[in-house]
Amino acid sequence: MKPWDGRFKDKTLPLLDKFNASIYFDKELYKEDIEGSIAHCKMLVKQGIISEENGDKIINGLSQILKEIENGEFQFKVELEDIHMNIEARLIELIGEIGGKLHTARSRNDQVATDVKLYLKKKIVEIRGKLLQLLKVLVKKAEENLDVILPGFTHLQIAQPILLSHYFMAYFEMFKRDYKRLNDCLSRMDECPLGSGALAGTTFNIDRFYTSELLGFKKPTDNSLDSVSDRDFIVEFISASAIIMAHLSRISEEIILWNSQMFNFLDLPDSMCTGSSIMPQKKNPDVPELVRGKTGRVYGNLMNILTVLKGLPLAYNKDLQEDKEPLFDTVKTVLDCIGIMTEFIDKIKPNKEIMKYWADKGFSTATDIADYLVNRGIPFRNAHKITGSIVKYCIENSKSLDELSIEEFKNFSEKFDEDIFEFISLKNVINRRNSYGGTSIKQVIFQINEAKKFLTPK
Ligand code: ARG
């Protein structure tokens, strides 16, 4: 028996039932489906479309179904296709044909769109909460490491020294944007599709503002045709998630690289690393590697949903049932990855001496030597050339910049004085980068304070 089998002569093949069903994965939406149905039922009563007595019976039945599902007693049936029809069929089993009144002025098309939005709104709030924890850990790491200097890289070549705190705050900025992107997504999707019917609205005198309010939406959606086929909010969410994963993947890559013996910048927590089954010496960074790997899933999910929507005519098409698996997978992946990386980042320890050792290798203070000459009246382009020749000289003579004598400096320009050595000390090199957003301790402390303001609940 199917709720829709009135016009059918033959029974559907089990092969069709299996292929058509979404119950395998959309049972995830059971709570939202029941919430939506209860709101719909209350509205039908308020509008005098069904009696209060019948409304009470329906709501009691739905509450019992909720308990059955949560206690693991509910029998999900593949031949009932999806969570909506499974719950409706059970309701009719429990309270008799009155249960059949619930679907008045509603279609599965507006029902599923509502369920998915209710589900995703909750999940976004959960993910946002996890991001907040990550942001807090990044600020904590930044505060703890204000005295740690490491080389900053461009092209993965040593470029200029920076504070490790500056590095952590860079990721703070990236995840702060992610946080805001999720907020934007949440506020745009906060409109209730329930009451759009199959596609054209309904002949019954429903109150969509009432259901929208009961379900905690800002307002009902404005166009029924759009409402039942809109999955933009899923695209936006997976896209925001893909960017989160890109950020997690970038910090993962740095952790993996910086932990390798050649860099040796970081110590990773034993409690979050794994060993090798053959090489006894190994301690592998599986967590950031898996996060880097799982990024592919979320990018794939984004391509998946975009492709499902491409060329889809209005309004509902069964293709839209394919929106759920990429969505659920993205939610799980992003929640897991943010959660574990927050713990992981909290526990990594920088090898301060090694970072510092490398900070002035690779002629990382060369820009400052050029700036020194500029301060003494030499045009920047000439200063750049002079400094380039100094670097060349150092390479040929296997010296670093701070190993040069004042005479050697003077051979390149009369403008050099003894104070050049102090000028290119790592601390000074860093603290002179005091432009807004720069790596000087003053600017980084300012960034940390701003971050704390952002993290303080308003
Ligand atoms: N299981 C369906 C989905 O997830 C529910 C909507 C079915 N609507 C329909 N007209 N067949 O999209």
Side-chain angles (χ1 to χ4, degrees):
M1 271 278 281
K2 302 237 184 336
W4 43 252
D5 63 5
R7 62 96 64 216
F8 283 74
K9 265 201 323 268
D10 299 327
K11 274 184 61 169
T12 54
L13 292 178
L15 182 69
L16 174 278
D17 285 347
K18 211 166 152 224
F19 183 72
N20 201 33
S22 52
I23 191 62
Y24 312 107
F25 45 87
D26 69 11
K27 41 165 120 93
E28 176 106 20
L29 298 172
Y30 74 89
K31 220 185 223 150
E32 290 74 21
D33 196 68
I34 290 173
E35 263 170 52
S37 287
I38 290 178
H40 183 65
C41 179
K42 285 184 177 164
M43 184 277 295
L44 292 177
V45 171
K46 180 179 92 71
Q47 296 299 98
I49 299 168
I50 64 172
S51 70
E52 203 168 327
E53 193 195 338
N54 286 343
D56 286 346
K57 281 189 186 146
I58 290 172
I59 292 174
N60 286 339
L62 288 169
S63 310
Q64 181 173 337
I65 293 172
L66 181 66
K67 279 194 211 117
E68 287 178 1
I69 297 177
E70 297 199 321
N71 297 336
E73 293 157 3
F74 192 91
Q75 288 266 317
F76 292 102
K77 296 188 182 131
V78 169
E79 61 279 15
L80 286 171
E81 206 176 312
D82 55 26
I83 187 66
H84 325 293
M85 295 207 298
N86 266 274
I87 289 178
E88 189 184 334
R90 177 67 183 141
L91 182 67
I92 293 169
E93 216 171 79
L94 282 174
I95 66 168
E97 63 179 13
I98 288 165
K101 289 182 183 274
L102 171 63
H103 213 53
T104 315
R106 184 176 75 169
S107 148
R108 266 188 302 156
N109 298 350
D110 56 341
Q111 188 179 357
V112 71
T114 307
D115 291 2
V116 176
K117 276 192 168 179
L118 282 171
Y119 161 87
L120 187 52
K121 278 178 64 182
K122 286 184 214 160
K123 291 297 175 185
I124 290 180
V125 170
E126 200 180 328
I127 295 170
R128 228 177 36 180
K130 292 245 182 236
L131 269 183
L132 219 50
Q133 292 309 313
L134 174 57
L135 289 172
K136 282 184 184 154
V137 162
L138 288 166
V139 172
K140 180 180 143 212
K141 295 305 266 190
E143 268 195 308
E144 280 171 10
N145 289 290
L146 278 164
D147 60 331
V148 184
I149 295 174
L150 79 160
F153 301 92
T154 60
H155 312 266
L156 207 53
Q157 312 262 331
I158 294 175
Q160 290 173 352
I162 56 171
L163 290 181
L164 183 58
S165 310
H166 196 51
Y167 167 86
F168 283 121
M169 291 311 290
Y171 278 99
F172 178 90
E173 288 300 316
M174 292 151 83
F175 291 114
K176 183 177 78 180
R177 287 195 294 274
D178 292 333
Y179 182 92
K180 291 181 172 178
R181 243 185 300 275
L182 286 180
N183 273 346
D184 291 346
C185 172
L186 190 60
S187 79
R188 226 183 330 274
M189 69 179 280
D190 201 8
E191 297 184 355
C192 184
L194 191 60
S196 297
L199 72 163
T202 172
T203 56
F204 292 94
N205 176 29
I206 60 170
D207 184 349
R208 292 193 58 208
F209 287 86
Y210 182 64
T211 40
S212 163
E213 198 187 316
L214 283 180
L215 292 171
F217 285 96
K218 228 165 20 200
K219 63 185 274 298
T221 51
D222 289 327
N223 179 301
S224 63
L225 200 57
D226 168 50
S227 305
V228 292
S229 70
D230 168 34
R231 298 295 183 273
D232 292 0
F233 59 98
I234 299 183
V235 177
E236 272 194 51
F237 166 72
I238 301 184
S239 155
S241 301
I243 303 176
I244 294 175
M245 292 305 296
H247 294 158
L248 286 174
S249 178
R250 291 180 77 169
I251 197 166
S252 293
E253 168 64 15
E254 268 154 355
I255 291 171
I256 295 160
L257 189 68
W258 290 7
N259 175 243
S260 83
Q261 288 81 352
M262 281 82 86
F263 265 85
N264 199 15
F265 275 13
L266 297 176
D267 253 353
L268 303 186
D270 271 11
S271 60
M272 294 188 90
C273 289
T274 58
S276 152
S277 55
I278 173 167
M279 295 168 284
Q281 84 282 14
K282 291 296 285 279
K283 176 173 151 187
N284 294 328
D286 287 24
V287 168
E289 286 175 301
L290 271 174
V291 169
R292 191 176 57 183
K294 282 176 191 287
T295 304
R297 267 174 190 264
V298 178
Y299 289 9
N301 291 338
L302 179 59
M303 211 29 81
N304 183 342
I305 184 69
L306 282 170
T307 311
V308 167
L309 293 180
K310 180 185 179 296
L312 211 61
L314 289 178
Y316 180 84
N317 300 269
K318 191 69 176 227
D319 314 43
L320 291 172
Q321 182 166 286
E322 288 292 310
D323 62 354
K324 285 166 208 64
E325 286 168 292
L327 173 63
F328 296 158
D329 185 69
T330 300
V331 166
K332 179 178 175 353
T333 306
V334 166
L335 275 172
D336 286 355
C337 290
I338 301 175
I340 198 148
M341 283 305 283
T342 302
E343 281 294 315
F344 200 90
I345 292 168
D346 195 22
K347 291 187 163 63
I348 52 178
K349 293 213 166 59
N351 292 332
K352 303 184 182 186
E353 289 311 313
I354 294 174
M355 284 186 169
K356 184 147 182 239
Y357 171 84
W358 284 103
D360 61 0
K361 293 284 169 284
F363 310 104
S364 72
T365 57
T367 316
D368 291 75
I369 295 181
D371 288 352
Y372 176 94
L373 294 173
V374 170
N375 288 341
R376 281 166 168 66
I378 297 187
F380 180 75
R381 274 291 151 237
N382 301 358
H384 187 285
K385 229 179 210 104
I386 295 169
T387 312
S389 326
I390 298 176
V391 169
K392 188 156 71 181
Y393 173 85
C394 284
I395 294 171
E396 283 161 7
N397 294 279
S398 307
K399 287 186 170 189
S400 64
L401 290 167
D402 59 353
E403 283 167 357
L404 295 178
S405 66
I406 187 64
E407 289 72 31
E408 284 173 303
F409 270 116
K410 279 190 186 293
N411 283 341
F412 292 93
S413 167
E414 269 309 310
K415 301 277 181 187
F416 284 116
D417 273 321
E418 281 288 343
D419 61 354
I420 180 64
F421 298 107
E422 183 62 15
F423 195 85
I424 60 170
S425 74
L426 285 180
K427 231 193 179 121
N428 285 333
V429 164
I430 283 184
N431 284 332
R432 265 197 314 274
R433 286 187 166 64
N434 197 31
S435 48
Y436 186 83
T439 198
S440 75
I441 187 129
K442 208 169 136 199
Q443 290 299 328
V444 173
I445 287 174
F446 177 78
Q447 290 176 42
I448 291 174
N449 288 336
E450 289 299 298
K452 284 183 175 167
K453 279 189 221 157
F454 178 82
L455 292 173
T456 312
K458 274 143 209 113

